[in-house]
Each structure stands twice: as structure tokens, then as C-alpha cells.
Amino acid sequence: GYGRIEILTKPGTDKWHGQGFGLFNDSALNSRNPFVSTEPGYHREFMDGSIGGPLSKKASIFIDGGRRDMAGDSVVSAVILGSSLQQTPFSQAVPSPNTNTNLSTRVDYALTSSNTLTARYQFFDANSKNNGIGQFALATQGYSTQLTENNIGITDSQVLSARAVNEIRLMYTHDINNQLPVSLDPTLQVQGAFTGGGNPLGKVLDTQNHAEIHDLTSISSGKHYITFGGRLRDTNEWNSTTGNFNGTFTFNSLAAYQSAKTELAACQGAGQSGCSASGASQFSLTAGNPAAAVDWVDVGLYAEDQWRVRSNISLNLGLRY
């Protein structure tokens, strides 16, 4: 409501500067989890830093990077069947490492005294292992995830006159987001006791590409501040999901599962072939084509007038398609 100020700093005029920090925490500094008798070591390490300054009288660069290393534990506290098929309390601490890495850099270059070109690159990578484990979920329920993102952006800012500015922006992003289970065996869910076998979430593979271009023009004229421009975007994505393709057996209680295992063991002990056992209350299975792809393109145009009718009244008028 009080106007608008556009500030474009000149590349190559700043001084070199930077900063950094680190953080560390180890399991030796903390108390043990009360639900496990033996707990693997864990730690957290954070590191981050940045540096920037002039490359020449017309160019500047800025770099920022960081890493997070978080090696924790997932604690299992369940009841399973022992080697003699007796109900046995079970506890376990499973390492669950998690790392994040990010890097970004930016270069500004003054093509002319009124035209500045900016290029950016950003990289992000996140990895985690043994997700989905804990409480009743055994170690075979674990799955790993990987997210990788690459982003490139270019901006050309041009001061057309004392009252007009034009800006062109281009961006491209490539994302990969995958999820991989430890086991592809059928899921075995025994209510109130444990969940074993493979994770029902299955394997998830996802790749996305996104590109867009913007053109923005701003003009200040008296009591009017006019902006207009357009945008073109294209997004394509490929995804494959095999959730519950491995199948899920559900038992209402550990006693029902114990009875089924005893029946199966007796059949196999008698030397019979093709042994089977009953007792599961439900079995579910998903089937079909797990893959899908889509491509989406859109175009947008707009114009806006921020009109200061009086000192205490502003009126914004705009059109968007």
C-alpha cells in the first residue's frame, strides 16, 4: 500500500565473505532407550557453510552447502514365536541412518550497466534406510528412500528506463524419488504381536521433469504501477508403485498364528508334501500395471494495474488467463 521499490545490486562490487557452523551429538552423551537391553551407537552431525564474493569487476559468485548425517535407531518391542513355536517377547534396536546433502551456487554477471544475468544451480540429495521399523514392525519391514533433485535457473533482468524493468526467468528441475523395501516377501500381520515379512508399501519409483519460462515487465507511470507478462510450463512424470503386490496375511491374534504354524510344522514333520494351514482372518493382494506416466503443459498470461487513486485509497485491477 506504500509503493514498490526494485533493487538490483551490481555484480563484482561486494567483498569476499563467508560463514560456517557445525554440530555434533553422540549416543555416549545420552541415556539408553529403556525398551532395549543393547542399543547400537548413534550420532548426529550437522555441517553448513557459505562463501561469496567478486570474480571480476562485472561478476560475483555465491556458494552454499551443507550436510546432515543422522544415524539413529529404530526400536522393536514385540512378541514373536521362538524356535519351539512358543510365544516369546522380542526387542531389538535397528540402525536407521539418514543423510541429507545440499549444494547451491549463484553467479551474477553484468552484461551492461542496465542488464544483469543471474544463473543458479541447486542440488539436494536425501537418503534414509530402515524406515518403517519400530514397535511391532520387525526389521524385515524396513525400506530405504532416496530423493535427488537438480534445479537450474537463469534470470535476465534489464532496466529498460527509469520507470520500466523487464525480467526473463527460465527454470528446469529434475527429481527422482524412489522407495525400496528390504524384502519382497508377503506381509505377515499378527495383530497385537508383530508385523513381519515384506513391507506392504512395495517398491515406488518416481521421476519428474519440470521446465518453465516467465517474462515479466513492470512499468511505473504516475499513480499507476503496471505489470504484465506470461508463463509457459511443461511437467512430465513417470511413476511405478507396487503397493501390496506382495500380498498381506492378517491373523487376529498371536494364538491363531501359533496354531497355524503348529499345524504346518506337524504336516511337514510327517514328511507330507504340499502342506497348508488355516487360521488367517484375511488375505489381500493388489495386481495390475504398476506404472503410469503423464505430461502436462499450460500457458498463462496476465496484466495488472496497481492504481493509487488517492493517498489513502489503492485499487488493484487485473486480468489473468
Side-chain angles (χ1 to χ4, degrees):
Y2 298 98
R4 181 186 179 100
I5 299 175
E6 296 278 358
I7 300 177
L8 299 177
T9 58
K10 292 183 178 181
T13 59
D14 202 358
K15 296 181 180 180
W16 282 98
H17 57 275
Q19 64 175 0
F21 80 88
L23 182 149
F24 176 78
N25 184 19
D26 190 83
S27 56
L29 305 174
N30 303 310
S31 60
R32 178 179 58 81
N33 191 305
F35 291 100
V36 289
S37 57
T38 303
E39 186 174 15
Y42 60 88
H43 64 267
R44 289 174 176 263
E45 298 176 358
F46 294 179
M47 293 180 292
D48 202 300
S50 62
I51 186 171
L55 292 175
S56 67
K57 292 183 178 180
K58 291 187 176 182
S60 296
I61 188 171
F62 179 81
I63 301 174
D64 179 88
R67 181 172 174 81
R68 307 287 188 268
D69 184 355
M70 297 163 284
D73 297 324
S74 298
V75 178
V76 177
S77 181
V79 182
I80 63 173
L81 297 183
S83 57
S84 59
L85 300 183
Q86 296 301 311
Q87 299 185 14
T88 305
F90 178 78
S91 63
Q92 182 184 20
V94 182
S96 55
N98 186 333
T99 60
N100 294 341
T101 304
N102 67 83
L103 174 67
S104 63
T105 180
R106 166 178 168 167
V107 177
D108 295 331
Y109 184 75
L111 298 174
T112 66
S113 60
S114 60
N115 192 354
T116 302
L117 183 67
T118 300
R120 298 180 178 88
Y121 171 71
Q122 292 179 315
F123 170 80
F124 178 76
D125 180 80
N127 289 273
S128 63
K129 295 182 179 180
N130 291 332
N131 299 285
I133 301 174
Q135 191 61 37
F136 293 152
L138 303 182
T140 58
Q141 284 285 293
Y143 62 88
S144 61
T145 62
Q146 180 181 17
L147 170 64
T148 302
E149 179 177 300
N150 288 274
N151 183 286
I152 299 174
I154 298 176
T155 302
D156 181 36
S157 300
Q158 186 171 5
V159 179
L160 303 176
S161 69
R163 297 181 177 273
V165 176
N166 179 259
E167 188 172 82
I168 300 176
R169 306 173 186 168
L170 299 101
M171 186 187 73
Y172 172 74
T173 302
H174 177 68
D175 292 341
I176 298 177
N177 193 353
N178 295 336
Q179 175 180 293
L180 303 175
V182 171
S183 171
L184 296 177
D185 292 338
T187 302
L188 183 61
Q189 187 177 55
V190 181
Q191 296 181 357
F194 72 91
T195 301
N199 196 295
L201 297 177
K203 182 187 295 184
V204 180
L205 306 175
D206 186 274
T207 301
Q208 184 180 107
N209 293 285
H210 177 84
E212 62 179 86
I213 179 172
H214 295 237
D215 186 84
L216 316 169
T217 301
S218 304
I219 300 175
S220 176
S221 177
K223 295 183 178 180
H224 298 269
Y225 184 77
I226 302 170
T227 57
F228 59 89
R231 177 194 66 197
L232 172 65
R233 296 190 299 185
D234 180 22
T235 300
N236 67 76
E237 183 171 4
W238 180 88
N239 181 281
S240 175
T241 304
T242 60
N244 203 35
F245 272 49
N246 57 333
T248 300
F249 291 91
T250 302
F251 290 82
N252 287 333
S253 65
L254 185 57
Y257 176 65
Q258 185 180 30
S259 176
K261 289 287 287 184
T262 302
E263 180 183 346
L264 188 62
C267 175
Q268 294 172 340
Q272 301 182 28
S273 60
C275 294
S276 62
S278 59
S281 60
Q282 183 181 15
F283 173 74
S284 63
L285 178 71
T286 301
N289 182 6
V294 64
D295 186 76
W296 177 56
V297 178
D298 77 278
V299 178
L301 302 173
Y302 79 95
E304 184 181 67
D305 180 11
Q306 300 177 32
W307 177 21
R308 192 171 186 182
V309 182
R310 297 178 59 183
S311 60
N312 61 345
I313 297 178
S314 294
L315 182 63
N316 291 348
L317 303 173
L319 292 173
R320 182 179 298 273
Y321 173 76

